[in-house]
Amino acid sequence: MTEKPDTMTDDTPFDPPRPLPGDRSMTAEIDRMVRVDHAGEFGAVRIYQGQLAVLGDRHPKSAMIRHMLAQEEVHLDRFNKLIKDRGVRPTALAPFWDVAGFALGAATALMGEKAAMACTAAVEEVIDGHYQAQRDRLTATNADPDFEKTIAQFQAEEAEHRETAIEHGAAETPGYAALSGAIKVGCRAAIWLAKRV
Ligand SMILES: [Fe+2]
Ligand SMILES: [Fe+2]
């Protein structure tokens, strides 16, 4: 005897629930958000690791950078879990973010501690805007309040990182506007890529 799915009655256990057509596209959209955020948090961890590799443990800014790194690791852990739970394919460019993030952190730290702060401020400004756009979308659709809450918490910490970097002299580095502008263009390109690859 063959069982067909359309013979299900009201008593049939209904697992997993079938999404409505509208829900399905929103689920796919949130999956894409998770993928790009996962890539971004991975990149952030690598940037701070790159900074610390250059500045070393005893640099006066290292404790503060380690604190930011610890928060980025929490963000990344959460997205690692979301990627797994939702069955999202991680970005194919992970090996690239691995190297590019570390190189960006290390290169700016080599330019000096204020250039490292300028890098942090620029990256976090882009991430802040990126998370805000996702929150706006999630709030407008009321698609996943828990995910929106997660992003709101992370966004607040990214904004804190940016403020800390500015307090620590980000804008005082020579060529700040050009450096900051270039890093922001790079970050936006990275987000654009992570949405697609
Ligand atoms: Fe983060
Ligand atoms: Fe951050």
Side-chain angles (χ1 to χ4, degrees):
M1 184 182 135
T2 341
E3 267 185 37
K4 284 182 182 171
D6 59 0
T7 57
M8 289 205 305
T9 65
D10 285 350
D11 303 324
T12 312
F14 199 59
D15 187 38
R18 279 188 253 182
L20 298 167
D23 296 338
R24 185 172 300 184
S25 73
M26 202 55 215
T27 302
E29 189 177 333
I30 295 172
D31 283 352
R32 287 196 297 274
M33 290 184 187
V34 168
R35 184 165 80 233
V36 68
D37 295 353
H38 174 256
E41 297 296 354
F42 178 58
V45 164
R46 293 300 284 155
I47 289 171
Y48 289 120
Q49 286 176 343
Q51 291 181 348
L52 286 169
V54 169
L55 296 178
D57 278 350
R58 286 191 219 152
H59 192 279
K61 302 267 192 266
S62 290
M64 176 261 287
I65 296 171
R66 267 199 304 274
H67 171 70
M68 294 183 187
L69 172 60
Q71 288 179 316
E72 301 300 356
E73 285 168 342
V74 172
H75 300 176
L76 178 58
D77 275 355
R78 183 74 68 86
F79 279 107
N80 274 330
K81 188 173 184 312
L82 281 167
I83 280 250
K84 229 169 126 194
D85 291 352
R86 298 180 69 97
V88 173
R89 171 184 69 77
T91 171
L93 291 174
F96 173 73
W97 306 134
D98 190 20
V99 175
F102 190 87
L104 178 62
T108 48
L110 280 168
M111 292 167 66
E113 58 170 68
K114 284 176 181 165
M117 294 300 108
C119 169
T120 298
V123 170
E124 298 294 11
E125 184 184 321
V126 174
I127 302 301
D128 182 19
H130 168 73
Y131 277 150
Q132 186 58 50
Q134 288 190 342
R135 287 185 60 205
D136 289 347
R137 178 75 182 138
L138 289 165
T139 307
T141 54
N142 197 28
D144 192 334
D146 282 347
F147 184 48
E148 195 274 333
K149 240 169 102 192
T150 298
I151 295 181
Q153 184 208 325
F154 294 175
Q155 181 193 27
E157 288 170 3
E158 316 298 10
E160 238 177 67
H161 297 170
R162 176 173 179 264
E163 280 157 31
T164 304
I166 289 168
E167 279 164 24
H168 285 264
E172 294 158 25
T173 191
Y176 171 68
L179 179 66
S180 169
I183 292 170
K184 283 192 263 187
V185 167
C187 286
R188 291 196 183 101
I191 290 170
W192 188 90
L193 269 172
K195 280 180 184 166
R196 288 160 180 85
V197 186

